[in-house]
C-alpha cells in the first residue's frame, strides 16, 4: 500500500490534541493537501449524519454506511454526502470506499454531488451528480442513463475516486488500478457521495484515516511537475535584463532591511546595484535589533532616541509597545533596568536559566550610541553628527533610570559575541578604536555569522524571520547554581524598580489615553504584562508565553520598520511584499476554484 503524502514539507507539523487515530488523520491530510487552509475550507473527514436520506445508517465514526430501507425499486435508493465539499486548494483530491458487503443486488454508486442534490437517488442520476455503479460498471453523469465505463465491483473490492481540480476531471480506481477518465468539466464545490439501494449493502469510507490502496502521491507528483514546468517556461523574452535588474534591487533592499551589511555591500559590488542607506545607519539599526532580541529593550529605546531623535515621540503606539515589552523583560530579568542591580561578576549576572549571558560594558565610551555630556556627538537619521544636541522626551514619566545612574547602568550597547569583557582594555582604547571594535563585533555577517546564523547560538534568521531560541550563549555554571527562575532574577531592589516602572507605564497609558483617546490594544498589552505578577511562577502561567524570547521578534520587526520609514525607506522590503502578494494570489485562486494553486506554492521556491 502507498503511504499518503510522505516527504511533503508539512510532514513534520505537530498533530493537534486528540485520539491517536485523529492525529494520524490530521498529519496525513496536511501532507496530502498542504495548500489547504482547513480553518477556512475544512476537508471531508466523514459522512454527514445531517445530509443523508433516512434509509442510510451510519456507524464507526460515520465512516461505515449501511442500507436500512426496503429496496424494492429505484425509489428506495438512498445516498449520503460527506461533511464538507472538496476544497479547490487540494489540486488533486482522493478518497476510497471498501465494499464490506454487496448485499442483495449490489446496486451501489460511488461518486460526487453538489449541495442540494436529492439524496433519495443514487449518485449520477441528477444534475450536478456523478457516480460509478457497481452492478453494471457504468458511469452516470447527471443522467439516469449510464455509459459503459469499467468493471463491476462487489464484496471486498476497494473503489477510489480521484477529483482533479486543475483540469476538472474525475477518474476511478479499482483495487489500486486506475480505470481512466470518467467525467470532465466538473463544477466546483462537489461533495464525496455514496449511494445504496438494496438490503445488506455495507461500505466503509477512507478519507485519509488509512493509507490508500492506490498510489495517489505518484499521480500528484506528475501534476506538480507539470505545473512547475509551466511556471519555468513563462515567457520573458527581450525583458530579461529588466527582470534581472529588478530582482537584484529587491535582493539588495532585503539584505539592507535586515542589516546584512557585509553581504549587501558584496552583493552591490558584484551586481552593480546601489545601496540606498548609509552603511553606518545599517549597522546602527543592526545594533538596536540585537538589543531587542537580547531582551535589553531599555537600551534599545535609549539607542533609538539618540540615533533617531523624535522617532519614538512621533510614534506613541510603538513607544508604548516597547515599554510594555521592557516591563516583560524586567520580569524576565534580562532588561538592564533590573540587571544593573545584580552582581557584576560574569557568573552571577544570569539569575535564571535561559537568560542571555550578556554583560553591558561599564565605563566604556562608545561614540556611536551613548552621549556622556554636552560635547558628545549626536545623531541624525541614524548617522553620527558632531553637532551638540539634547533630546527632550514628550513622555518624561518613562525616561530611563540608567541615564541618571551611570555607575549602575550600561554606558554602551557595544558587546562581544563571545560574552567576554575586558574592562581594563576597554578603558585604554581610544574612541576610534571603540568604533572599529563596535563595527566588527556588531556586524551580523562577520565570520561568526555565516549565512545569517550565529555559530555560537541557536539564533537563526531565515527569510526575514528571526528563529530565536537564544540570543547568545548561556552561562552553564549559572544554570547549575540557579536551577529555578525567579522574578527579576530574584533581586529585591530589581523587583522594586520593576514595580516602580509599572506605575510609570500606567501613567504613560493614561497620558496617551487623554491625548489620543482609548486604545484597546494598549489596554490589552498592559493587562497581559501586569498579569505576569499575579503568578508565583510567571513562566508557567496562562500568560507566560510573553516571556518566551520568540515574542521579541514582532517588537524588533516593528521598531526596525519604523526606523526605515523615518528615513524614507520602505518599511517592508519589496521582496517580502512580492512574496506576500504571490501567496495572496494563490489564496484567491483557491477561493475561485483554480486547483493549480496547490502545486504552485511559494514555499517550494524558497527552499
Amino acid at each position: 500500500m502507498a503511504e499518503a503524502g510522505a516527504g511533503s514539507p508539512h510532514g513534520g507539523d505537530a498533530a493537534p490534541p486528540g485520539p491517536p487515530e485523529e492525529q494520524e488523520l490530521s498529519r496525513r491530510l496536511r501532507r496530502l493537501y498542504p495548500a489547504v487552509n482547513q480553518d477556512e475550507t475544512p476537508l471531508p473527514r466523514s459522512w454527514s449524519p445531517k445530509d443523508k436520506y433516512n434509509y442510510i445508517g451510519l456507524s464507526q465514526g460515520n465512516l461505515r454506511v449501511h442500507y436500512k430501507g426496503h429496496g424494492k425499486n429505484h425509489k428506495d435508493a438512498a445516498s449520503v454526502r460527506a461533511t464538507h465539499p472538496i476544497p479547490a486548494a487540494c489540486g488533486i483530491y482522493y478518497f476510497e470506499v471498501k465494499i464490506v458487503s454487496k448485499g442483495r443486488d449490489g446496486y451501489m454508486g460511488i461518486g460526487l454531488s453538489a449541495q442540494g442534490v436529492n439524496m433519495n437517488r443514487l449518485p449520477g442520476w441528477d444534475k450536478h451528480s456523478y457516480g460509478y455503479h457497481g452492478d453494471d460498471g457504468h458511469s452516470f453523469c447527471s443522467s439516469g442513463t449510464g455509459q459503459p465505463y469499467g468493471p463491476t465491483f462487489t464484496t471486498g473490492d476497494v473503489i477510489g475516486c480521484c477529483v482533479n481540480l486543475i483540469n476538472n476531471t474525475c477518474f476511478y480506481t479499482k483495487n489500486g488500478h486506475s480505470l481512466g477518465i470518467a467525467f470532465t468539466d466538473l463544477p466546483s464545490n462537489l461533495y464525496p457521495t455514496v449511494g445504496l439501494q438494496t438490503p445488506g449493502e455495507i461500505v466503509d469510507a477512507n478519507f485519509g484515516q488509512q493509507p490508500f490502496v492506490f498510489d495517489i502521491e505518484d499521480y500528484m507528483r506528475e501534476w506538480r511537475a507539470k505545473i512547475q514546468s509551466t511556471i519555468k517556461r513563462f515567457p520573458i523574452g527581450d525583458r530579461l535584463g529588466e527582470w534581472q535588474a529588478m530582482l537584484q534591487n529587491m535582493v539588495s533592499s532585503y539584505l539592507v532591511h535586515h542589516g546584512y551589511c557585509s553581504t549587501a555591500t558584496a552583493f552591490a559590488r558584484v551586481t552593480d546595484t546601489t545601496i540606498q542607506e548609509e552603511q553606518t545607519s545599517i549597522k546602527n539599526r543592526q545594533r538596536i535589533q540585537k538589543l531587542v532580541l537580547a531582551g535589553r529593550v531599555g537600551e534599545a529605546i535609549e539607542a533609538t532616541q539618540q540615533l533617531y531623535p523624535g522617532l519614538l515621540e512621533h510614534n506613541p503606539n510603538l513607544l508604548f509597545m516597547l515599554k510594555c515589552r521592557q516591563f516583560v523583560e524586567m520580569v524576565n530579568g534580562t532588561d538592564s533596568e533590573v540587571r544593573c542591580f545584580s552582581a557584576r561578576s560574569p557568573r552571577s549576572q544570569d539569575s535564571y536559566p535561559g537568560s542571555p549571558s550578556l554583560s553591558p560594558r561599564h565605563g566604556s565610551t562608545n561614540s556611536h550610541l551613548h552621549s556622556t555630556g554636552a560635547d558628545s556627538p549626536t545623531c541624525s537619521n541614524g548617522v553620527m553628527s558632531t553637532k551638540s544636541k539634547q533630546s527632550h522626551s514628550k513622555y518624561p514619566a518613562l525616561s530611563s533610570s540608567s541615564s541618571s545612574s551611570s555607575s549602575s547602568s550600561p554606558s554602551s550597547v557595544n558587546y562581544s559575541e563571545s560574552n567576554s569583557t575586558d574592562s581594563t582594555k576597554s578603558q585604554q582604547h581610544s574612541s576610534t578604536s571603540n568604533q572599529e571594535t563596535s563595527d566588527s563585533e556588531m556586524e551580523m555577517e562577520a565570520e561568526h555569522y555565516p549565512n545569517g546564523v550565529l555559530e555560537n547560538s541557536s539564533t537563526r534568521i531565515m527569510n526575514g524571520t528571526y528563529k530565536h531560541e537564544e540570543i547568545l550563549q548561556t552561562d552553564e555554571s549559572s544554570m547549575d547554581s540557579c536551577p529555578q527562575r525567579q522574578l527579576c532574577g530574584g533581586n529585591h531592589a530589581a523587583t522594586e524598580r520593576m514595580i516602580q516602572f509599572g506605575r510609570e507605564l500606567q501613567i504613560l497609558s493614561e497620558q496617551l489615553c487623554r491625548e489620543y483617546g482609548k486604545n484597546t490594544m494598549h489596554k490589552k498589552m498592559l493587562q497581559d504584562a501586569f498579569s505576569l505578577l499575579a503568578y508565583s511562577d510567571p513562566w508557567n502561567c496562562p500568560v507566560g508565553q510573553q516571556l518566551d524570547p520568540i515574542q521579541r521578534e514582532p517588537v524588533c520587526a516593528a521598531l526596525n520598520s519604523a526606523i526605515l520609514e523615518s528615513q524614507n525607506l520602505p518599511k517592508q522590503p519589496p521582496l517580502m511584499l512580492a512574496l506576500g502578494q504571490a501567496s495572496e494570489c494563490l489564496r484567491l485562486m483557491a477561493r475561485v476554484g483554480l486547483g493549480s494553486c496547490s502545486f504552485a506554492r511559494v514555499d517550494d521556491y524558497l527552499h
Side-chain angles (χ1 to χ4, degrees), residues 260-458:
Y260 302 144
C261 194
S262 295
T263 303
T265 302
F267 184 81
R269 185 167 55 249
V270 171
T271 59
D272 197 25
T273 54
T274 302
I275 297 178
Q276 297 180 359
E277 187 179 7
E278 294 185 40
Q279 190 175 66
T280 304
S281 178
I282 299 173
K283 290 183 177 180
N284 284 334
R285 281 195 300 107
Q286 187 185 88
R287 294 183 180 94
I288 292 170
Q289 290 181 76
K290 288 174 68 70
L291 284 172
V292 175
L293 293 175
R296 296 165 60 178
V297 182
E299 294 172 74
I301 293 173
E302 185 177 357
T304 303
Q305 290 171 332
Q306 292 176 4
L307 289 165
Y308 306 95
L311 172 64
L312 296 180
E313 183 175 285
H314 293 99
N315 288 271
N317 290 334
L318 176 61
L319 175 63
F320 190 78
M321 178 197 295
L322 288 166
K323 289 296 183 181
C324 285
R325 186 67 215 177
Q326 184 179 4
F327 181 86
V328 172
E329 296 300 346
M330 293 172 101
V331 175
N332 236 339
T334 53
D335 190 79
S336 58
E337 287 280 333
V338 295
R339 287 177 65 86
C340 64
F341 291 99
S342 302
R344 298 296 183 269
S345 68
R347 285 179 179 270
S348 63
Q349 73 176 10
D350 282 324
S351 301
Y352 65 90
S355 63
S357 300
L358 201 61
S359 175
R361 293 179 177 174
H362 305 288
S364 62
T365 55
N366 186 308
S367 63
H368 268 271
L369 293 173
H370 192 74
S371 176
T372 57
D375 297 330
S376 299
T378 59
C379 312
S380 176
N381 299 331
V383 181
M384 295 301 301
S385 167
T386 55
K387 183 178 180 181
S388 177
K389 180 179 179 181
Q390 290 190 1
S391 175
H392 300 279
S393 174
K394 183 179 179 182
Y395 308 105
L398 275 144
S399 57
S400 174
S401 65
S402 60
S403 60
S404 61
S405 56
S406 59
S407 62
S408 62
S409 65
S411 60
S412 170
V413 303
N414 185 19
Y415 55 89
S416 68
E417 306 302 349
S418 62
N419 296 335
S420 62
T421 303
D422 188 336
S423 59
T424 305
K425 289 183 180 180
S426 175
Q427 293 171 359
Q428 291 174 350
H429 280 314
S430 65
S431 61
T432 303
S433 174
N434 276 333
Q435 179 170 340
E436 293 173 354
T437 303
S438 171
D439 288 345
S440 63
E441 290 174 343
M442 298 296 294
E443 175 56 65
M444 294 176 78
E445 292 148 339
E447 57 184 353
H448 298 294
Y449 290 86
N451 300 324
V453 181
L454 175 61
E455 292 179 341
N456 293 339
S457 78
S458 54

Side-chain angles (χ1 to χ4, degrees), residues 47-59:
W47 301 116
S48 171
K50 298 179 181 179
D51 195 6
K52 68 180 183 67
Y53 194 63
N54 55 14
Y55 287 172
I56 289 291
L58 299 177
S59 60

